Amino acid sequence: MKGIAAGLGVVVLTPLLLSGTAMVMASSSEAATTASFSGCLTGLDTAEVTKEVTKILDGASGEDIHIQGLDLPAEQIPNAQTIVATGLSLDVPTKGQIVAIATAMQESRLRNLNYGDRDSLGLFQQRPSQGWGTAQQIRDPVYASEQFYKHLLKVDGWQQMKVTQAAQAVQRSGYPDAYAQWEDLATALQKAIATTFPNADKDEPVKDKDKESASGTGACKPDKDGTSFGRIPEGSVPKGYKIPKDADPRARAAIEWAMRQLGTLYQWGGSCTDSHGPDPMKRCDCSSLMQQAYAHADVKLTRTTYTQVNEGKAVSAKNLKPGDLIFSRGTAARPEHVGMYMGKGLVIEAPRTSKPTRIAPIKDWDILTARRVL
């Protein structure tokens, strides 16, 4: 959603981590210890939590951040952000995201641990021996979150359950009531983090002016559809492709930068500011790939697909030029996906969760509208 590298650092067992509730093992003894924590986190000030969360996400060190229940906010909040972003990318309802955060709080205190009870690892203390994936996969916060959600969504009636019941249905803990103590904190964290993502509310009605500004391209298709390159392995450049010589220099710069992100994993809500690095939230989604590619060509684009569809001017899919943005999924007024035309019937895109940035033939696209931003 780019090898899996998120969170593969080694946890240093300092005296702080070895004392009291800071020692997180996600074992039976840990659950018994934390089960008595109940009652300390009720009545949280969500507005205050939002303010503190925003400081961390804006780069604060965490030394002056105070959120009840979080001892290591600089480490814990980014992990909560990954859980929320992954939930949003999978269209998991808000309650499911709250269940996931509460579960990770109980199991690991929202830390990507490389140890645990028996072979338990990661945010949710998932076990390779129980079929959750390899140790390396489980240590990837995005993968671990995806697996938790996939199991949760298979639980019949989970949305009608209490948070602790839904968490227990997935985790099967020896202390099934322990998750309840984190519900208020998880709720506050989810709300605070979700507000930082562009268009997290996908059901927002489209305004009339938006409908007017996003003119469709009609049913015309480009002359070249990319089939001449044959099958294109994900994350690679098709043999024989070169950026057309007549491409606008700024489009050339944007395409070249985007191509350097090939193979990096998609992350919904990711900033695309370090797609090859270990932080999942610095990977690319479809619109941040477009934004950052053009930023490196000194062209400023807005952040989301919903707003990029109003950038520049509408062009026909029959007359695309390298660097044009093309949109699909949803409607012409409110598309859900964007890619960049590269010429010769090819598109570069960050497709969806669990997939890498790739080049695809334009024949695979159901083009709703296209925009020229140069």
Side-chain angles (χ1 to χ4, degrees):
M1 146 129 126
K2 303 143 235 140
I4 299 173
L8 286 175
V10 177
V11 175
V12 179
L13 298 182
T14 65
L16 171 63
L17 298 182
L18 291 171
S19 62
T21 58
M23 177 62 176
V24 185
M25 294 295 290
S27 63
S28 297
S29 60
E30 182 271 341
T33 300
T34 59
S36 63
F37 198 84
S38 180
C40 296
L41 295 176
T42 58
L44 287 172
D45 184 340
T46 301
E48 185 62 27
V49 171
T50 299
K51 184 175 73 173
E52 298 295 282
V53 165
T54 302
K55 289 179 184 177
I56 288 289
L57 299 182
D58 284 344
S61 67
E63 295 180 1
D64 298 320
I65 303 299
H66 303 288
I67 298 176
Q68 190 178 5
L70 299 185
D71 296 326
L72 300 168
E75 180 180 357
Q76 293 164 308
I77 290 173
N79 286 330
Q81 183 190 41
T82 297
I83 291 171
V84 172
T86 304
L88 290 169
S89 74
L90 297 173
D91 293 325
V92 176
T94 296
K95 182 174 180 178
Q97 298 167 38
I98 293 170
V99 172
I101 294 173
T103 301
M105 275 300 305
Q106 172 60 23
E107 298 292 354
S108 70
R109 292 300 184 275
L110 275 173
R111 294 171 56 229
N112 191 22
L113 301 179
N114 67 347
Y115 60 90
D117 179 43
R118 287 169 284 189
D119 58 339
S120 299
L121 296 166
L123 290 173
F124 299 92
Q125 290 291 278
Q126 295 156 339
R127 298 179 60 190
S129 64
Q130 298 298 312
W132 286 93
T134 66
Q136 184 182 37
Q137 288 174 322
I138 291 170
R139 292 293 318 288
D140 178 355
V142 175
Y143 175 89
S145 299
E146 288 176 357
Q147 290 303 305
F148 179 85
Y149 286 128
K150 287 177 181 178
H151 283 74
L152 175 66
L153 296 176
K154 291 179 181 178
V155 175
D156 187 31
W158 71 268
Q159 292 198 62
Q160 285 71 51
M161 296 178 181
K162 294 180 179 178
V163 167
T164 192
Q165 292 172 328
Q168 172 63 6
V170 176
Q171 299 295 106
R172 302 181 184 277
S173 167
Y175 295 84
D177 298 325
Y179 303 103
Q181 63 195 314
W182 306 111
E183 182 173 350
D184 283 2
L185 177 59
T187 300
L189 287 174
Q190 190 282 332
K191 184 174 182 179
I193 291 168
T195 60
T196 69
F197 288 115
N199 299 296
D201 182 4
K202 294 183 179 181
D203 297 324
E204 181 185 349
V206 181
K207 298 177 182 179
D208 290 340
K209 66 177 183 179
D210 293 331
K211 295 178 181 178
E212 294 169 0
S213 62
S215 56
T217 62
C220 293
K221 293 288 185 179
D223 291 331
K224 295 182 179 179
D225 62 7
T227 55
S228 62
F229 291 99
R231 180 182 173 275
I232 305 172
E234 287 190 337
S236 68
V237 179
K239 185 177 180 180
Y241 170 79
K242 292 183 179 180
I243 301 172
K245 292 181 179 179
D246 61 351
D248 184 293
R250 293 168 295 175
R252 178 180 295 275
I255 293 170
E256 288 175 346
W257 188 89
M259 289 171 65
R260 290 196 287 273
Q261 317 315 310
L262 287 171
T264 59
L265 279 176
Y266 176 101
Q267 174 60 56
W268 194 93
S271 66
C272 202
T273 52
D274 185 14
S275 65
H276 294 274
D279 185 347
M281 296 315 301
K282 292 184 179 180
R283 299 173 186 168
C284 307
D285 65 13
C286 65
S287 55
S288 65
L289 177 64
M290 302 300 103
Q291 183 189 47
Q292 291 302 318
Y294 265 113
H296 285 78
D298 295 323
V299 177
K300 185 176 181 179
L301 295 183
T302 52
R303 172 62 182 85
T304 73
T305 305
Y306 302 145
T307 55
Q308 288 175 2
V309 75
N310 297 316
E311 300 273 6
K313 62 181 180 180
V315 294
S316 169
K318 190 73 173 177
N319 298 305
L320 293 175
K321 292 183 178 181
D324 287 346
L325 304 185
I326 61 173
F327 299 83
S328 67
R329 305 176 198 165
T331 66
R334 197 171 176 80
E336 298 287 343
H337 186 53
V338 61
M340 183 184 297
Y341 186 62
M342 303 173 64
K344 301 186 179 181
L346 297 176
V347 183
I348 189 165
E349 61 172 344
R352 59 184 174 85
T353 298
S354 79
K355 292 291 185 179
T357 296
R358 66 187 182 187
I359 295 173
I362 204 167
K363 73 175 182 64
D364 293 345
W365 279 65
D366 181 15
I367 302 175
L368 297 171
T369 189
R371 309 290 293 189
R372 184 161 297 153
V373 297
L374 298 175

Short mmCIF file of all heavy atoms in Angstrom, two decimals, residues 136-187:
data_model
loop_
_atom_site.label_atom_id
_atom_site.label_comp_id
_atom_site.label_asym_id
_atom_site.label_seq_id
_atom_site.Cartn_x
_atom_site.Cartn_y
_atom_site.Cartn_z
N GLN A 136 8.97 -10.89 9.68
CA GLN A 136 9.24 -9.62 9.00
C GLN A 136 7.94 -8.93 8.61
O GLN A 136 7.81 -7.71 8.77
CB GLN A 136 10.09 -9.86 7.76
CG GLN A 136 10.50 -8.56 7.05
CD GLN A 136 11.31 -8.81 5.79
OE1 GLN A 136 11.05 -9.77 5.07
NE2 GLN A 136 12.29 -7.97 5.54
N GLN A 137 6.97 -9.68 8.11
CA GLN A 137 5.68 -9.09 7.73
C GLN A 137 4.97 -8.50 8.95
O GLN A 137 4.45 -7.39 8.90
CB GLN A 137 4.81 -10.14 7.06
CG GLN A 137 5.24 -10.52 5.67
CD GLN A 137 4.42 -11.67 5.12
OE1 GLN A 137 4.05 -12.61 5.84
NE2 GLN A 137 4.14 -11.62 3.82
N ILE A 138 4.94 -9.24 10.03
CA ILE A 138 4.24 -8.78 11.23
C ILE A 138 4.87 -7.53 11.80
O ILE A 138 4.18 -6.68 12.38
CB ILE A 138 4.21 -9.92 12.29
CG1 ILE A 138 3.29 -11.06 11.79
CG2 ILE A 138 3.73 -9.41 13.64
CD1 ILE A 138 3.37 -12.31 12.64
N ARG A 139 6.18 -7.36 11.61
CA ARG A 139 6.84 -6.15 12.09
C ARG A 139 6.58 -4.93 11.21
O ARG A 139 6.98 -3.82 11.55
CB ARG A 139 8.35 -6.37 12.21
CG ARG A 139 8.79 -7.35 13.29
CD ARG A 139 8.53 -6.88 14.72
NE ARG A 139 8.85 -5.49 14.95
CZ ARG A 139 10.08 -4.99 15.02
NH1 ARG A 139 11.13 -5.77 14.85
NH2 ARG A 139 10.26 -3.71 15.26
N ASP A 140 5.93 -5.13 10.05
CA ASP A 140 5.51 -4.00 9.21
C ASP A 140 4.17 -3.52 9.75
O ASP A 140 3.17 -4.26 9.67
CB ASP A 140 5.38 -4.46 7.76
CG ASP A 140 4.89 -3.35 6.84
OD1 ASP A 140 4.55 -2.25 7.33
OD2 ASP A 140 4.83 -3.58 5.62
N PRO A 141 4.09 -2.30 10.30
CA PRO A 141 2.83 -1.83 10.90
C PRO A 141 1.65 -1.83 9.93
O PRO A 141 0.51 -2.06 10.35
CB PRO A 141 3.17 -0.40 11.35
CG PRO A 141 4.65 -0.42 11.57
CD PRO A 141 5.18 -1.32 10.49
N VAL A 142 1.91 -1.58 8.64
CA VAL A 142 0.82 -1.59 7.67
C VAL A 142 0.29 -3.00 7.50
O VAL A 142 -0.91 -3.26 7.55
CB VAL A 142 1.27 -1.01 6.32
CG1 VAL A 142 0.16 -1.13 5.28
CG2 VAL A 142 1.67 0.45 6.47
N TYR A 143 1.19 -3.95 7.29
CA TYR A 143 0.78 -5.35 7.13
C TYR A 143 0.03 -5.84 8.37
O TYR A 143 -1.03 -6.46 8.27
CB TYR A 143 2.00 -6.23 6.88
CG TYR A 143 1.67 -7.71 6.83
CD1 TYR A 143 1.30 -8.32 5.64
CD2 TYR A 143 1.71 -8.49 7.99
CE1 TYR A 143 0.97 -9.68 5.61
CE2 TYR A 143 1.38 -9.83 7.97
CZ TYR A 143 1.02 -10.43 6.77
OH TYR A 143 0.68 -11.76 6.73
N ALA A 144 0.59 -5.55 9.54
CA ALA A 144 -0.05 -6.01 10.78
C ALA A 144 -1.44 -5.44 10.93
O ALA A 144 -2.39 -6.13 11.34
CB ALA A 144 0.82 -5.63 11.98
N SER A 145 -1.60 -4.16 10.58
CA SER A 145 -2.91 -3.52 10.67
C SER A 145 -3.88 -4.15 9.68
O SER A 145 -5.05 -4.41 10.00
CB SER A 145 -2.79 -2.01 10.41
OG SER A 145 -1.95 -1.39 11.36
N GLU A 146 -3.42 -4.37 8.45
CA GLU A 146 -4.27 -5.01 7.44
C GLU A 146 -4.77 -6.36 7.93
O GLU A 146 -5.95 -6.69 7.78
CB GLU A 146 -3.49 -5.20 6.14
CG GLU A 146 -3.21 -3.94 5.36
CD GLU A 146 -2.35 -4.22 4.14
OE1 GLU A 146 -1.93 -5.39 3.95
OE2 GLU A 146 -2.08 -3.28 3.38
N GLN A 147 -3.86 -7.16 8.52
CA GLN A 147 -4.25 -8.48 8.99
C GLN A 147 -5.27 -8.39 10.12
O GLN A 147 -6.22 -9.17 10.17
CB GLN A 147 -3.01 -9.26 9.44
CG GLN A 147 -2.09 -9.66 8.30
CD GLN A 147 -2.80 -10.49 7.27
OE1 GLN A 147 -3.40 -11.52 7.58
NE2 GLN A 147 -2.76 -10.05 6.02
N PHE A 148 -5.07 -7.44 11.03
CA PHE A 148 -6.04 -7.29 12.10
C PHE A 148 -7.42 -6.96 11.52
O PHE A 148 -8.43 -7.57 11.90
CB PHE A 148 -5.62 -6.19 13.08
CG PHE A 148 -6.62 -6.00 14.19
CD1 PHE A 148 -6.58 -6.78 15.33
CD2 PHE A 148 -7.65 -5.06 14.09
CE1 PHE A 148 -7.52 -6.64 16.34
CE2 PHE A 148 -8.60 -4.91 15.08
CZ PHE A 148 -8.53 -5.70 16.21
N TYR A 149 -7.46 -5.99 10.61
CA TYR A 149 -8.74 -5.59 10.03
C TYR A 149 -9.40 -6.73 9.26
O TYR A 149 -10.62 -6.92 9.33
CB TYR A 149 -8.55 -4.39 9.11
CG TYR A 149 -8.31 -3.08 9.84
CD1 TYR A 149 -7.22 -2.27 9.52
CD2 TYR A 149 -9.18 -2.64 10.84
CE1 TYR A 149 -7.00 -1.07 10.18
CE2 TYR A 149 -8.96 -1.44 11.51
CZ TYR A 149 -7.86 -0.66 11.17
OH TYR A 149 -7.66 0.53 11.83
N LYS A 150 -8.61 -7.48 8.51
CA LYS A 150 -9.18 -8.58 7.73
C LYS A 150 -9.84 -9.61 8.65
O LYS A 150 -10.90 -10.16 8.34
CB LYS A 150 -8.09 -9.23 6.87
CG LYS A 150 -7.67 -8.38 5.69
CD LYS A 150 -6.54 -9.02 4.90
CE LYS A 150 -6.12 -8.12 3.73
NZ LYS A 150 -4.97 -8.69 2.97
N HIS A 151 -9.20 -9.89 9.79
CA HIS A 151 -9.79 -10.82 10.74
C HIS A 151 -11.02 -10.21 11.42
O HIS A 151 -12.02 -10.90 11.63
CB HIS A 151 -8.75 -11.22 11.79
CG HIS A 151 -7.76 -12.23 11.29
ND1 HIS A 151 -6.74 -11.90 10.42
CD2 HIS A 151 -7.62 -13.56 11.54
CE1 HIS A 151 -6.01 -12.99 10.16
NE2 HIS A 151 -6.53 -13.99 10.82
N LEU A 152 -10.95 -8.93 11.75
CA LEU A 152 -12.09 -8.27 12.40
C LEU A 152 -13.31 -8.28 11.49
O LEU A 152 -14.43 -8.58 11.93
CB LEU A 152 -11.72 -6.83 12.76
CG LEU A 152 -12.86 -5.98 13.35
CD1 LEU A 152 -13.29 -6.52 14.71
CD2 LEU A 152 -12.41 -4.51 13.48
N LEU A 153 -13.12 -7.96 10.23
CA LEU A 153 -14.24 -7.86 9.30
C LEU A 153 -14.91 -9.20 9.03
O LEU A 153 -16.04 -9.26 8.54
CB LEU A 153 -13.79 -7.23 7.98
CG LEU A 153 -13.30 -5.77 8.08
CD1 LEU A 153 -12.78 -5.29 6.73
CD2 LEU A 153 -14.41 -4.86 8.58
N LYS A 154 -14.22 -10.27 9.36
CA LYS A 154 -14.81 -11.61 9.21
C LYS A 154 -15.65 -12.01 10.41
O LYS A 154 -16.35 -13.03 10.36
CB LYS A 154 -13.69 -12.64 9.00
CG LYS A 154 -12.99 -12.51 7.65
CD LYS A 154 -11.88 -13.56 7.53
CE LYS A 154 -11.14 -13.41 6.20
NZ LYS A 154 -10.02 -14.39 6.08
N VAL A 155 -15.59 -11.25 11.49
CA VAL A 155 -16.36 -11.56 12.70
C VAL A 155 -17.81 -11.15 12.49
O VAL A 155 -18.10 -9.97 12.27
CB VAL A 155 -15.77 -10.84 13.93
CG1 VAL A 155 -16.64 -11.08 15.16
CG2 VAL A 155 -14.33 -11.30 14.19
N ASP A 156 -18.69 -12.09 12.55
CA ASP A 156 -20.11 -11.82 12.33
C ASP A 156 -20.67 -10.91 13.42
O ASP A 156 -20.57 -11.22 14.61
CB ASP A 156 -20.89 -13.14 12.30
CG ASP A 156 -22.34 -12.94 11.89
OD1 ASP A 156 -22.62 -12.02 11.10
OD2 ASP A 156 -23.20 -13.72 12.36
N GLY A 157 -21.22 -9.75 13.02
CA GLY A 157 -21.86 -8.85 13.98
C GLY A 157 -20.91 -8.02 14.81
O GLY A 157 -21.30 -7.46 15.84
N TRP A 158 -19.65 -7.86 14.36
CA TRP A 158 -18.68 -7.15 15.20
C TRP A 158 -19.08 -5.71 15.47
O TRP A 158 -18.76 -5.15 16.53
CB TRP A 158 -17.29 -7.19 14.55
CG TRP A 158 -17.13 -6.36 13.31
CD1 TRP A 158 -17.31 -6.75 12.03
CD2 TRP A 158 -16.76 -4.98 13.25
NE1 TRP A 158 -17.08 -5.71 11.16
CE2 TRP A 158 -16.74 -4.61 11.89
CE3 TRP A 158 -16.44 -4.00 14.20
CZ2 TRP A 158 -16.43 -3.32 11.45
CZ3 TRP A 158 -16.12 -2.72 13.78
CH2 TRP A 158 -16.12 -2.38 12.43
N GLN A 159 -19.79 -5.08 14.53
CA GLN A 159 -20.17 -3.67 14.72
C GLN A 159 -21.19 -3.49 15.83
O GLN A 159 -21.35 -2.39 16.37
CB GLN A 159 -20.70 -3.08 13.40
CG GLN A 159 -19.64 -2.96 12.33
CD GLN A 159 -20.02 -2.01 11.23
OE1 GLN A 159 -20.22 -0.82 11.47
NE2 GLN A 159 -20.13 -2.53 10.01
N GLN A 160 -21.91 -4.56 16.18
CA GLN A 160 -22.88 -4.48 17.27
C GLN A 160 -22.25 -4.86 18.61
O GLN A 160 -22.89 -4.73 19.65
CB GLN A 160 -24.07 -5.42 16.98
CG GLN A 160 -25.03 -4.90 15.90
CD GLN A 160 -24.44 -4.94 14.51
OE1 GLN A 160 -23.93 -5.97 14.10
NE2 GLN A 160 -24.49 -3.83 13.80
N MET A 161 -21.03 -5.32 18.59
CA MET A 161 -20.35 -5.72 19.82
C MET A 161 -19.75 -4.51 20.52
O MET A 161 -19.53 -3.46 19.92
CB MET A 161 -19.22 -6.71 19.50
CG MET A 161 -19.65 -8.02 18.92
SD MET A 161 -18.16 -9.06 18.55
CE MET A 161 -18.95 -10.51 17.86
N LYS A 162 -19.46 -4.67 21.81
CA LYS A 162 -18.65 -3.68 22.51
C LYS A 162 -17.23 -3.75 21.96
O LYS A 162 -16.82 -4.76 21.39
CB LYS A 162 -18.64 -3.97 24.02
CG LYS A 162 -20.00 -3.82 24.69
CD LYS A 162 -19.89 -4.13 26.18
CE LYS A 162 -21.24 -3.95 26.88
NZ LYS A 162 -21.16 -4.29 28.32
N VAL A 163 -16.50 -2.67 22.13
CA VAL A 163 -15.12 -2.63 21.61
C VAL A 163 -14.30 -3.80 22.14
O VAL A 163 -13.59 -4.48 21.39
CB VAL A 163 -14.46 -1.28 21.97
CG1 VAL A 163 -12.95 -1.35 21.74
CG2 VAL A 163 -15.06 -0.16 21.15
N THR A 164 -14.40 -4.07 23.44
CA THR A 164 -13.59 -5.14 24.01
C THR A 164 -14.01 -6.50 23.50
O THR A 164 -13.19 -7.40 23.32
CB THR A 164 -13.64 -5.10 25.55
OG1 THR A 164 -12.63 -5.96 26.08
CG2 THR A 164 -15.01 -5.50 26.08
N GLN A 165 -15.31 -6.68 23.20
CA GLN A 165 -15.79 -7.95 22.65
C GLN A 165 -15.27 -8.16 21.22
O GLN A 165 -14.86 -9.27 20.87
CB GLN A 165 -17.32 -7.98 22.66
CG GLN A 165 -17.93 -8.02 24.05
CD GLN A 165 -19.44 -7.85 24.02
OE1 GLN A 165 -19.99 -7.16 23.16
NE2 GLN A 165 -20.13 -8.49 24.98
N ALA A 166 -15.29 -7.10 20.44
CA ALA A 166 -14.80 -7.21 19.06
C ALA A 166 -13.31 -7.50 19.04
O ALA A 166 -12.83 -8.32 18.25
CB ALA A 166 -15.10 -5.92 18.30
N ALA A 167 -12.56 -6.81 19.91
CA ALA A 167 -11.12 -7.06 19.99
C ALA A 167 -10.84 -8.50 20.41
O ALA A 167 -9.98 -9.18 19.84
CB ALA A 167 -10.48 -6.08 20.98
N GLN A 168 -11.58 -8.98 21.39
CA GLN A 168 -11.39 -10.33 21.87
C GLN A 168 -11.74 -11.37 20.81
O GLN A 168 -11.09 -12.42 20.72
CB GLN A 168 -12.25 -10.57 23.13
CG GLN A 168 -12.30 -12.01 23.63
CD GLN A 168 -10.94 -12.54 24.08
OE1 GLN A 168 -9.96 -11.81 24.13
NE2 GLN A 168 -10.88 -13.82 24.41
N ALA A 169 -12.70 -11.07 19.97
CA ALA A 169 -13.09 -12.01 18.91
C ALA A 169 -11.94 -12.24 17.93
O ALA A 169 -11.83 -13.31 17.33
CB ALA A 169 -14.31 -11.48 18.16
N VAL A 170 -11.07 -11.25 17.80
CA VAL A 170 -9.91 -11.38 16.92
C VAL A 170 -8.72 -11.95 17.68
O VAL A 170 -8.04 -12.87 17.22
CB VAL A 170 -9.52 -10.02 16.31
CG1 VAL A 170 -8.25 -10.14 15.49
CG2 VAL A 170 -10.65 -9.46 15.46
N GLN A 171 -8.46 -11.42 18.88
CA GLN A 171 -7.23 -11.74 19.60
C GLN A 171 -7.29 -13.00 20.45
O GLN A 171 -6.28 -13.63 20.71
CB GLN A 171 -6.84 -10.56 20.51
CG GLN A 171 -6.58 -9.27 19.78
CD GLN A 171 -5.37 -9.33 18.87
OE1 GLN A 171 -5.51 -9.39 17.66
NE2 GLN A 171 -4.17 -9.32 19.44
N ARG A 172 -8.49 -13.32 20.96
CA ARG A 172 -8.67 -14.51 21.81
C ARG A 172 -7.72 -14.49 23.01
O ARG A 172 -6.98 -15.43 23.29
CB ARG A 172 -8.48 -15.79 21.01
CG ARG A 172 -9.44 -15.90 19.82
CD ARG A 172 -9.25 -17.18 19.05
NE ARG A 172 -10.10 -17.23 17.87
CZ ARG A 172 -11.37 -17.59 17.86
NH1 ARG A 172 -11.96 -17.93 18.99
NH2 ARG A 172 -12.05 -17.61 16.73
N SER A 173 -7.74 -13.37 23.73
CA SER A 173 -6.88 -13.19 24.89
C SER A 173 -7.40 -13.95 26.10
O SER A 173 -8.59 -14.24 26.21
CB SER A 173 -6.82 -11.69 25.22
OG SER A 173 -6.25 -11.47 26.49
N GLY A 174 -6.47 -14.27 27.01
CA GLY A 174 -6.88 -14.88 28.27
C GLY A 174 -7.54 -13.89 29.20
O GLY A 174 -8.09 -14.27 30.24
N TYR A 175 -7.50 -12.60 28.85
CA TYR A 175 -8.10 -11.53 29.64
C TYR A 175 -9.01 -10.71 28.73
O TYR A 175 -8.68 -9.59 28.33
CB TYR A 175 -7.02 -10.66 30.29
CG TYR A 175 -6.20 -11.44 31.29
CD1 TYR A 175 -5.12 -12.22 30.87
CD2 TYR A 175 -6.53 -11.44 32.65
CE1 TYR A 175 -4.38 -12.96 31.76
CE2 TYR A 175 -5.80 -12.20 33.56
CZ TYR A 175 -4.72 -12.95 33.11
OH TYR A 175 -4.00 -13.69 34.01
N PRO A 176 -10.17 -11.24 28.39
CA PRO A 176 -11.03 -10.64 27.35
C PRO A 176 -11.57 -9.25 27.67
O PRO A 176 -11.96 -8.53 26.76
CB PRO A 176 -12.18 -11.65 27.22
CG PRO A 176 -12.18 -12.40 28.53
CD PRO A 176 -10.76 -12.48 28.94
N ASP A 177 -11.60 -8.89 28.97
CA ASP A 177 -12.13 -7.58 29.33
C ASP A 177 -11.07 -6.48 29.35
O ASP A 177 -11.39 -5.30 29.56
CB ASP A 177 -12.81 -7.64 30.71
CG ASP A 177 -13.99 -8.60 30.72
OD1 ASP A 177 -14.68 -8.67 29.68
OD2 ASP A 177 -14.23 -9.26 31.75
N ALA A 178 -9.81 -6.84 29.14
CA ALA A 178 -8.71 -5.88 29.30
C ALA A 178 -8.74 -4.77 28.25
O ALA A 178 -8.27 -3.66 28.50
CB ALA A 178 -7.37 -6.60 29.25
N TYR A 179 -9.31 -5.06 27.08
CA TYR A 179 -9.31 -4.05 26.01
C TYR A 179 -10.21 -2.86 26.33
O TYR A 179 -10.00 -1.76 25.80
CB TYR A 179 -9.77 -4.69 24.70
CG TYR A 179 -8.93 -5.88 24.29
CD1 TYR A 179 -9.39 -7.17 24.47
CD2 TYR A 179 -7.66 -5.70 23.73
CE1 TYR A 179 -8.62 -8.27 24.11
CE2 TYR A 179 -6.88 -6.80 23.36
CZ TYR A 179 -7.37 -8.08 23.56
OH TYR A 179 -6.61 -9.15 23.22
N ALA A 180 -11.18 -3.06 27.20
CA ALA A 180 -12.16 -2.01 27.50
C ALA A 180 -11.50 -0.77 28.09
O ALA A 180 -11.96 0.36 27.87
CB ALA A 180 -13.22 -2.54 28.46
N GLN A 181 -10.42 -0.94 28.84
CA GLN A 181 -9.80 0.18 29.51
C GLN A 181 -9.21 1.21 28.55
O GLN A 181 -8.96 2.36 28.92
CB GLN A 181 -8.69 -0.32 30.42
CG GLN A 181 -7.54 -1.01 29.69
CD GLN A 181 -6.65 -1.80 30.63
OE1 GLN A 181 -6.29 -1.29 31.69
NE2 GLN A 181 -6.35 -3.04 30.28
N TRP A 182 -9.02 0.82 27.28
CA TRP A 182 -8.41 1.72 26.30
C TRP A 182 -9.41 2.36 25.35
O TRP A 182 -9.03 3.10 24.45
CB TRP A 182 -7.37 0.95 25.48
CG TRP A 182 -6.34 0.26 26.31
CD1 TRP A 182 -6.18 -1.08 26.49
CD2 TRP A 182 -5.34 0.89 27.13
NE1 TRP A 182 -5.13 -1.33 27.35
CE2 TRP A 182 -4.60 -0.13 27.76
CE3 TRP A 182 -4.99 2.22 27.38
CZ2 TRP A 182 -3.54 0.13 28.62
CZ3 TRP A 182 -3.94 2.48 28.24
CH2 TRP A 182 -3.23 1.44 28.85
N GLU A 183 -10.71 2.09 25.54
CA GLU A 183 -11.70 2.55 24.57
C GLU A 183 -11.74 4.07 24.45
O GLU A 183 -11.78 4.62 23.35
CB GLU A 183 -13.08 2.01 24.92
CG GLU A 183 -14.13 2.43 23.91
CD GLU A 183 -15.48 1.76 24.14
OE1 GLU A 183 -15.57 0.83 24.98
OE2 GLU A 183 -16.45 2.18 23.47
N ASP A 184 -11.74 4.77 25.58
CA ASP A 184 -11.83 6.23 25.52
C ASP A 184 -10.60 6.84 24.85
O ASP A 184 -10.71 7.75 24.02
CB ASP A 184 -11.99 6.82 26.93
CG ASP A 184 -13.40 6.67 27.47
OD1 ASP A 184 -14.24 6.08 26.75
OD2 ASP A 184 -13.67 7.14 28.58
N LEU A 185 -9.42 6.33 25.19
CA LEU A 185 -8.19 6.83 24.57
C LEU A 185 -8.18 6.51 23.08
O LEU A 185 -7.83 7.36 22.26
CB LEU A 185 -6.97 6.22 25.25
CG LEU A 185 -5.61 6.60 24.65
CD1 LEU A 185 -5.39 8.10 24.68
CD2 LEU A 185 -4.48 5.87 25.38
N ALA A 186 -8.57 5.28 22.73
CA ALA A 186 -8.59 4.89 21.32
C ALA A 186 -9.56 5.76 20.53
O ALA A 186 -9.28 6.15 19.39
CB ALA A 186 -8.99 3.41 21.19
N THR A 187 -10.70 6.06 21.13
CA THR A 187 -11.69 6.90 20.46
C THR A 187 -11.13 8.30 20.21
O THR A 187 -11.28 8.87 19.13
CB THR A 187 -12.98 6.99 21.29
OG1 THR A 187 -13.51 5.66 21.47
CG2 THR A 187 -14.02 7.86 20.61
#
